[in-house]
């Protein structure tokens, strides 16, 4: 009986390690190849490298895809869009909960239903609206970062408003009424009383939006088309792999570099991310 | 009274403006464009009725993609949910390294689909042929193994996500229930089928539809892994729409495809809503 148990334990440990290895396999392969020179890769992609080249591949990846500039663009767009989404959708959700009119019900329904619209459906008209024959005619140029951020507010607000809406419904209105009697303005009530109470939901909303916006490819590919200095990381990745797939050492280094910020973010904010994922999925 | 109406609209304004400008108006315009001969260049497209829809009906590639996407979605739903549930069962047991394993399984899910596609492209086209193991050639050059490759990528990416959702479900099961079952002499498997699975039924519904809509709308991974190739045999719906818009410049027809895509998603979601509503009433 005892022997049987220890055998079982060994078997358990083996399959757990095996599972972890399977999951890490692609990343491990990237790391393995990223430190090899082009000639070593051509000779034997799996074999032990003959020559140690250090971080040479990483250096050329950073240079050839303008990594730092793309990273900066991604950070700007993600942070601005997420911050705007949190504030604006909390504002919208608050008035939608507190004003019980037919109009507010209708607007909330409109937002909810819009979550069904796939991006492919909006993509082509959006190009036309933003292009030369759309807003361009009136001298409005939204094919830039502010335009992209506004687009993210448009596409992200439905989900964010739903999340806030669910939470605000549970906050007693008496608190706000008391503040109003004490002479607090509506804006004051929102920013001093309601917004601080929304803390946990704001975390969820931020996580859900950061994860989506950081990795999004299609929307920036349309809004920022042709503006090479504004490219975000996903755009730069696509460009990089479109023009170049011969040296897989540099390509592997590039992939690892682009994954790095996400992995660092995950290690820092693991608890919040898990909570955000669960809350975002359940609602 | 008047002032409160003003606050209502003021608070709603930023979200509503972006939402109308970037989501609602383009959607409505999209419906119109699907009825025109728009090619992306012409200033004012001509109204041609439902001719585009006739053309789409005759487009065998589109229906091939439709069938491919449907089959792929079914495989994803079964495999990802099954695998995610097994992973959740594994890491909710108390043992050393459980938290680490959770982190490893969840990690791929944070990285963008585009990056993961390129990572697996590297595995399938470079590492697989180099291993010299029979059966592990360049998987992406063939339709059947290409399907399998995309499936492996998705299972690898999304199981961790489902795992997190099932963990939340499993942890919601009160300890007392499990202890009572153990006292009554229910063995491991019996406890699993009679208690764990029924108690996380709600998570299964969530997981089912999350994966369903995710796989049906899949784009990034498809674009970067194979780009639909070879010869469009691995082209999913979203990519098919994208290609007919940007490679063939048939904007009107692409828009008609997008509308059909939208309607399919709406039907799936209505089914989902009815099922969840019914489940809620019973619970």
């Amino acid at each position: 009986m005892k022997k049987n148990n220890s055998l079982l334990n060994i078997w358990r440990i083996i399959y757990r390690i095996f599972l972890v290895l399977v999951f890490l396999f692609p990343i491990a392969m990237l790391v393995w190849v990223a430190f090899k020179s082009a000639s070593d890769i051509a000779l034997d992609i799996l074999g032990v490298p003959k020559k140690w080249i250090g971080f040479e591949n990483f250096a050329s990846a950073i240079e050839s895809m303008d990594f730092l500039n793309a990273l900066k663009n991604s950070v700007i767009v993600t942070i601005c869009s997420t911050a705007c989404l949190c504030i604006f959708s909390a504002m919208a959700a608050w008035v939608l909960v507190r004003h019980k009119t037919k109009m507010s019900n209708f607007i909330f329904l409109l937002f909810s239903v819009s979550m069904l619209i796939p991006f492919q459906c909006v993509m082509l008209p959006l190009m036309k609206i933003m292009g030369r024959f759309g807003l361009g005619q009136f001298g409005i140029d939204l094919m830039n970062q502010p335009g992209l951020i506004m687009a993210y507010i448009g596409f992200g607000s439905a989900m964010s408003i739903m999340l806030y809406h669910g939470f605000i419904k549970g906050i007693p209105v008496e608190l706000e009424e008391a503040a109003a009697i004490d002479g607090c303005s509506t804006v004051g009530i929102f920013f001093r009383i309601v917004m601080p109470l929304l803390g946990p939901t704001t975390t969820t909303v931020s996580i859900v939006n950061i994860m989506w916006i950081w990795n999004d490819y299609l929307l920036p590919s349309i809004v920022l088309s042709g503006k090479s200095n504004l490219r975000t990381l996903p755009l730069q990745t696509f460009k990089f792999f479109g023009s170049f797939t011969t040296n897989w050492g540099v390509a592997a280094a590039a992939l690892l570099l682009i994954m790095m910020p996400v992995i660092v973010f995950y290690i820092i904010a693991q608890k919040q991310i898990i909570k955000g994922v669960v809350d975002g999925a359940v609602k | 009274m008047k002032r409160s109406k003003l606050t209502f609209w003021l608070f709603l304004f930023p979200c509503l403006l972006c939402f109308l400008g970037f989501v609602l108006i383009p959607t409505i315009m999209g419906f119109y464009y699907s009825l025109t001969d728009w090619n992306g260049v012409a200033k004012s497209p001509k109204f041609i009725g439902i001719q585009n829809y006739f053309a789409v009906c005759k487009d065998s590639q589109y229906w091939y993609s439709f069938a491919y996407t449907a089959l792929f979605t079914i495989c994803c739903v079964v495999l990802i949910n099954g695998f995610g549930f097994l992973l959740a069962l594994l890491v909710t047991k108390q043992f050393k390294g459980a938290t680490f394993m959770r982190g490893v399984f969840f990690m791929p899910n944070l990285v963008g689909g585009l990056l993961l596609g390129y990572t697996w492209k590297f595995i399938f086209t470079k590492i697989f042929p180099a291993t010299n193991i029979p059966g592990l050639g360049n998987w992406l050059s063939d339709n059947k193994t290409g399907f399998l490759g995309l499936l492996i990528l998705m299972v690898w990416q999304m199981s961790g996500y489902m795992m997190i959702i099932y963990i939340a479900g499993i942890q919601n099961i009160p300890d007392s229930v499990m202890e009572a079952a153990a006292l009554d002499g229910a063995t491991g498997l019996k406890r699993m089928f009679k208690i764990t699975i029924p108690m996380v039924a709600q998570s299964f519904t969530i997981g089912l539809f999350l994966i369903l809509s995710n796989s049906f709308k899949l784009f990034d991974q498809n674009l970067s892994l194979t780009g639909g190739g070879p010869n469009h045999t691995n082209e999913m719906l979203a990519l098919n729409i994208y290609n007919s818009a940007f490679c063939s410049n048939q904007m009107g027809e692409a828009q008609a495809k997008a509308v059909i895509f939208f309607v399919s998603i709406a039907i799936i979601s209505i089914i989902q809503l009815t099922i969840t509503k019914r489940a809620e009433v019973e619970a």
Side-chain angles (χ1 to χ4, degrees):
Chain A
M1 186 70 195
K2 189 128 199 243
K3 200 175 175 192
N4 192 10
N5 249 341
S6 71
L7 257 174
L8 202 67
N9 271 335
I10 293 170
W11 160 239
R12 271 190 187 138
I13 291 169
I14 290 173
Y15 88 75
R16 279 169 196 164
I17 292 175
F18 175 75
L19 260 179
V20 170
L21 287 181
V22 165
F23 265 79
L24 289 178
F25 169 73
I27 311 290
M29 278 298 138
L30 286 181
V31 175
W32 182 240
V33 171
F35 287 98
K36 291 169 82 165
S37 68
S39 56
D40 273 340
I41 292 171
L43 206 65
D44 181 6
I45 196 163
L46 296 173
V48 181
K50 293 205 167 53
K51 186 174 72 179
W52 168 247
I53 58 161
F55 288 90
E56 210 174 90
N57 284 335
F58 288 88
S60 51
I62 287 177
E63 199 186 337
S64 62
M65 62 171 185
D66 204 1
F67 177 73
L68 293 176
N69 188 42
L71 181 68
K72 187 194 78 188
N73 289 333
S74 271
V75 169
I76 291 175
V77 169
T78 307
I79 290 186
C80 292
S81 309
T82 306
C84 289
L85 264 171
C86 284
I87 295 171
F88 293 151
S89 54
M91 280 163 52
W94 183 55
V95 289
L96 284 177
V97 174
R98 294 299 182 231
H99 290 245
K100 289 193 171 55
T101 57
K102 272 196 183 126
M103 194 53 167
S104 87
N105 284 340
F106 173 72
I107 293 174
F108 183 63
L109 187 74
L110 206 60
F111 273 114
S112 326
V113 173
S114 80
M115 285 174 55
L116 295 179
I117 302 171
F119 186 72
Q120 276 74 13
C121 217
V122 189
M123 174 173 77
L124 302 174
L126 200 60
M127 264 169 60
K128 192 167 166 68
I129 293 174
M130 294 177 99
R132 239 179 325 146
F133 300 124
L135 290 169
Q137 282 176 317
F138 310 103
I140 303 170
D141 182 14
L142 285 178
M143 309 272 277
N144 49 27
Q145 280 174 341
L148 183 59
I149 292 166
M150 282 175 72
Y152 277 129
I153 297 171
F155 284 101
S157 53
M159 179 72 181
S160 309
I161 287 177
M162 297 268 278
L163 285 169
Y164 276 123
H165 197 273
F167 190 80
I168 293 173
K169 268 195 288 189
I171 300 178
V173 70
E174 283 76 17
L175 217 58
E176 293 155 35
E177 283 170 351
I181 290 166
D182 289 344
C184 193
S185 68
T186 316
V187 177
I189 291 175
F190 178 75
F191 282 101
R192 294 211 194 132
I193 296 171
V194 179
M195 203 65 196
L197 286 174
L198 296 179
T201 314
T202 304
T203 318
T204 303
V205 172
S206 310
I207 296 290
V208 168
N209 286 306
I210 288 173
M211 277 174 50
W212 158 60
I213 294 170
W214 182 267
N215 291 321
D216 189 34
Y217 164 73
L218 257 187
L219 184 58
S221 81
I222 282 165
V223 176
L224 302 176
S225 68
K227 309 249 164 99
S228 57
N229 59 327
L230 293 181
R231 278 194 202 122
T232 57
L233 281 173
L235 289 183
Q236 202 60 282
T237 317
F238 185 72
K239 184 87 185 111
F240 182 79
F241 279 88
S243 60
F244 157 106
T245 36
T246 42
N247 189 344
W248 274 98
V250 179
L255 284 173
L256 287 173
L257 274 172
I258 305 169
M259 284 176 194
M260 208 58 81
V262 180
I263 292 172
V264 171
F265 179 60
Y266 179 57
I267 291 168
I268 296 171
Q270 196 167 4
K271 266 210 180 105
Q272 286 83 346
I273 290 175
I274 300 281
K275 182 185 173 296
V277 166
V278 174
D279 290 357
V282 173
K283 270 158 196 160
Chain B
M1 197 61 218
K2 233 181 181 174
R3 249 194 86 193
S4 93
K5 228 178 181 165
L6 185 71
T7 4
F8 177 74
W9 290 110
L10 270 181
F11 270 61
L12 215 49
F13 179 73
C15 274
L16 207 54
L17 175 78
C18 296
F19 174 70
L20 290 178
F22 290 97
V23 183
L24 204 59
I25 293 171
T27 308
I28 295 165
M29 279 172 70
F31 280 113
Y32 171 72
Y33 282 133
S34 72
L35 303 172
T36 67
D37 67 349
W38 186 34
N39 58 8
V41 192
K43 231 177 171 179
S44 44
K46 209 170 75 217
F47 184 82
I48 55 165
I50 52 171
Q51 267 184 41
N52 283 326
Y53 290 92
F54 279 129
V56 173
C57 283
K58 278 188 236 148
D59 184 347
S60 58
Q61 179 61 45
Y62 183 72
W63 297 107
Y64 173 84
S65 294
F66 209 108
Y68 185 96
T69 309
L71 184 63
F72 182 77
T73 305
I74 293 168
C75 293
C76 272
V77 166
V78 173
L79 287 178
I80 297 175
N81 278 297
F83 207 58
F85 183 64
L86 290 182
L87 290 182
L89 282 182
L90 173 65
V91 299
T92 41
K93 291 197 183 104
Q94 307 284 333
F95 64 91
K96 240 186 213 166
T99 328
F100 171 73
M101 284 175 80
R102 225 183 266 203
V104 169
F105 296 152
F106 182 65
M107 192 86 82
N109 183 57
L110 289 167
V111 181
L114 206 65
L115 277 178
L116 298 179
Y118 287 125
T119 305
W120 279 93
K121 186 182 182 177
F122 163 71
I123 301 291
F124 287 133
T125 58
K126 294 286 151 190
I127 302 296
F128 267 29
T131 55
N132 285 324
I133 299 170
L136 292 187
N138 180 355
W139 274 24
L140 302 185
S141 62
D142 179 72
N143 163 25
K144 288 199 183 76
T145 44
F147 181 87
L148 209 58
L150 194 59
L151 199 59
I152 291 175
L153 160 58
M154 283 303 281
V155 172
W156 180 74
Q157 181 189 4
M158 300 295 293
S159 312
Y161 185 34
M162 284 301 108
M163 173 194 77
I164 295 290
I165 289 168
Y166 289 131
I167 289 174
I170 290 172
Q171 283 172 344
N172 273 341
I173 302 173
D175 285 339
S176 53
V177 176
M178 276 299 179
E179 280 160 21
L183 277 181
D184 288 346
T187 51
L189 267 186
K190 207 161 195 183
R191 256 182 287 168
M192 162 118 143
F193 283 107
K194 298 276 175 192
I195 298 175
T196 313
I197 292 182
M199 293 286 266
V200 295
Q202 210 195 354
S203 308
F204 272 117
T205 333
I206 296 167
L208 178 80
F209 286 103
L210 259 176
I211 300 297
L212 192 65
S213 76
N214 258 332
S215 332
F216 196 74
K217 292 195 265 188
L218 192 73
F219 177 80
D220 288 5
Q221 286 86 337
N222 195 202
L223 177 73
S224 57
L225 188 70
T226 57
N231 196 19
H232 299 286
T233 49
N234 283 315
E235 198 174 68
M236 292 181 68
L237 267 185
L239 188 61
N240 179 276
I241 296 169
Y242 182 85
N243 280 341
S244 55
F246 296 111
C247 299
S248 331
N249 269 334
Q250 294 163 318
M251 301 283 183
E253 215 181 300
Q255 195 58 49
K257 287 178 178 180
V259 169
I260 298 176
F261 187 50
F262 175 31
V263 171
S264 325
I265 291 171
I267 291 172
I268 293 173
S269 306
I270 289 167
I271 296 172
Q272 165 188 8
L273 224 73
T274 6
I275 292 176
T276 16
K277 273 272 155 64
R278 197 180 296 157
E280 264 168 27
V281 171
E282 278 167 10

